Amino acid sequence: MQGVVICPGSGSGDDLDDIIAVDTLSEDQARDELARLAALLGDANRAYHSKDAPEISDADYDAMKQRNAAIEARFPALKRDDSPSEQVGATPSDGFAKVTHAVRMLSLGNAFDDEDITEFDTRIRKYLGLEAAAPLTYTAEPKIDGLSLSLRYEQGILVQAATRGDGSVGENVTANARTIDDIPERISEAPEVLEVRGEVYMSHADFEDLNARQGERGGKIFANPRNAAAGSLRQLDSTITRDRPLRFFAYAWGDLSAPLADTQKGAIDRLAKMGFSTNQLTALCDGPNEMLAHYREIEQKRATLGYDIDGVVYKVNDLALQGRLGFRSTTPRWAIAHKFPAELAWTRLEAIDIQVGRTGALSPVARLTPVTVGGVVVSNATLHNEDYIKGLDSKGNQIRGGKEIYVGDWVQVYRAGDVIPKVADVDLAKRPDGATPYEYPTICPECGSEAIREEGDAVRRCTGGLICPAQAVEKLKHFVSRAAFDIEGLGAKQVEQFYRDGWIAEPADIFTLRDRYGSGMQQLKNREGWGEKSATNLFEAIDEKRNIPFGRLLFALGIRHVGEAASNMIARVYGAWDEFTGAMDGAADFDGAEWERLLGIDGVGEVMARSLVTAFAQEHERAGIDRLTAHLNVEEVEQPDTEGSPVAGKTVVFTGSLEKMTRAEAKARAEALGAKVSGSVSAKTDLVVAGPGAGSKAKKAADLGVETIDEDGWLALIGDA
Ligand code: IVH
């Protein structure tokens, strides 16, 4: 463990020289320092827990807490009544009803290096009176970077969900928790009273999606998945939470009427059997060597997990031993969190470049003095949009305390897994003399067309359409991407080169490549990096994709707001391409039966519908689509044989627990009968099938007057009872 830790001052830019080593502090200095740390940590806690907007990095926070503990250890008499070492989290905010936890929700002690782990093991052995050679098993599992939640089940039914709050009193977020798919409404073979504890989190993919949607709507951009998860769970309106894809891992418990098992691992396995998601990377380790080996394995997998973790948690496996070890004031003796090195770093912002995307969006990219962030060298990071640079969200509210970012500034970079690194903060105390405010362009840097920002749009867009080379090439890259045409041998790099050399200007040109460059004067096989075999392979790969499913084609066109899931849904509804293009023509005035039919599709809102109809109505865009489809055989979507099906064409929502079939089975069966299965209840829902423990969805159905039946009613309806 480090003896001297770095502690940021009230500005975040103290130099190392300003920090006095704990063992040389005088008593007066120590008293002042403890007061300063209590204030700083109090502010940091409030920003993190109550406002979901951290103002300092986790690493700085940990460093301050460590320094506070080190000073208190040297001067125990100076320990303050409001000492930060006695506090977990922050007092709950006023918007939610309060819940007093039956069993306190505690925090974990932290470890930062290998030595801390051997010390942890030694401490425990000493406490228990175990010899160094006596067997002692621990569990080791990822520390999920989300927010903790306690779920109370009585007689197997979810009755309450509460956040940690200050550890004793949390917030009642039951309605919101019920919208999370990983949280069962009802569980079987559970003790009469069971409080399941775990972490609510958001995956990287869902986080990126959410921020993209927020950007389009002019909503708040979240700094990282943890803030997005916290902001989504702590919504007073649970319909907002329902639209946010939250997940939950169970890893502990609170109040219990009967023990779950004899061991930590046994208890977690039991929770998994009850239907909770538990982490697959949980391992049993015999002693520090195996614990550290598992730590390194998890650290290696970190970037590919798809969600943020910030360390590994070790717990004594034997629950009787956990009981003997007990707790210190805010942390258990039997567990410790081994933190990963910070994934934040400070560096200089050298320049801001503008990238123009497929839909013309101008995105600011930070060019940074290269810096290592969590083991990866980062030299570019996103700055989101024009307002973000100014320290504002799209509604004009301040973010980062309203601090504007200048070119030349000292900025903080955040990176997690494969999430695009972002500039998270700026240190105004370190602003150099030459730093300059950034002037956002109003002319597209790629094609010189005007770049305009429509009202309510957070993004400034190039109006050049396909005359803008950046838009054209991005559209082509999207066209050949994995979920679109996915042509083997034709990736982003090749498309860029072909575009630059004038071989491909639009998607249709891909399908005439063989005619133009398969023989004659200029041939693909003679290009640098190509040969006879690779050229033939490419032509064949292109030919293979002349037969293309409807949904893939629609997604490949890259129409704004029209994603993969919506494309497939639309394809299922219209079945055949010609039927669909005819319908788009019919909806061209945003009125009438075809327009209503489009809006009636689950998952298609007005914004998407307008974008779609406009794309097909604009002459040059439609001509490009028609030139492309002339080379294609667009496969029809096979409609399930739904003759006589009572639910064909109906939108059905399953909620609560089903006892005679799994959710997946119910969904597959309903779809085979021609129904659309949706995850949320809306005015477009025709039928809700509510099992025991159904909560907010059943209530919403009742409010909207949507027909609701139980599982037996459903089976009777589809003739399977
Ligand atoms: S066990 C008695 N296991 O980390 C303590 N906590 O820094 C029980 N966390 O408050 C907590 N992943 O919110 C535990 N696998 C895991 C965890 C985990 C994340 C969080 C939890 C806790 C915080 C402590």
Side-chain angles (χ1 to χ4, degrees), residues 19 27 51 155 227 263 301 370 416 486 565 567 599 619 653 709:
I19 293 157
E27 196 166 322
K51 296 194 259 162
Q155 267 87 33
N227 294 140
T263 59
K301 293 193 170 137
D486 191 21
S567 299
L599 282 180
E619 222 172 288
V653 174
I709 56 176

Side-chain angles (χ1 to χ4, degrees), residues 152-167:
R152 187 176 176 90
Y153 289 83
E154 290 174 6
Q155 267 87 33
I157 296 173
L158 176 64
V159 293
Q160 188 174 72
T163 63
R164 180 167 73 174
D166 63 3

Side-chain angles (χ1 to χ4, degrees), residues 242-260:
R242 177 179 308 130
D243 284 339
R244 306 273 177 87
L246 294 175
R247 299 168 188 222
F248 178 80
F249 272 129
Y251 52 63
W253 54 92
D255 202 8
L256 272 183
S257 55
L260 289 172

Side-chain angles (χ1 to χ4, degrees), residues 91 94 96 154 168 198 209 341 356 375 389 396 402 513 521 542 558 604 704:
T91 39
D94 291 333
F96 292 91
E154 290 174 6
S168 302
D209 258 19
V356 181
I389 299 174
L513 262 185
M521 291 283 288
I542 292 172
V604 177
L704 290 170

Side-chain angles (χ1 to χ4, degrees), residues 106-108 141-144 148 164 199 251-252 313 315 327 332 334:
L106 295 175
S107 182
L108 290 169
E141 69 201 59
K143 183 171 186 304
I144 315 298
S148 45
R164 180 167 73 174
E199 203 84 350
Y251 52 63
V313 181
K315 298 171 185 165
F327 300 89
W334 43 263

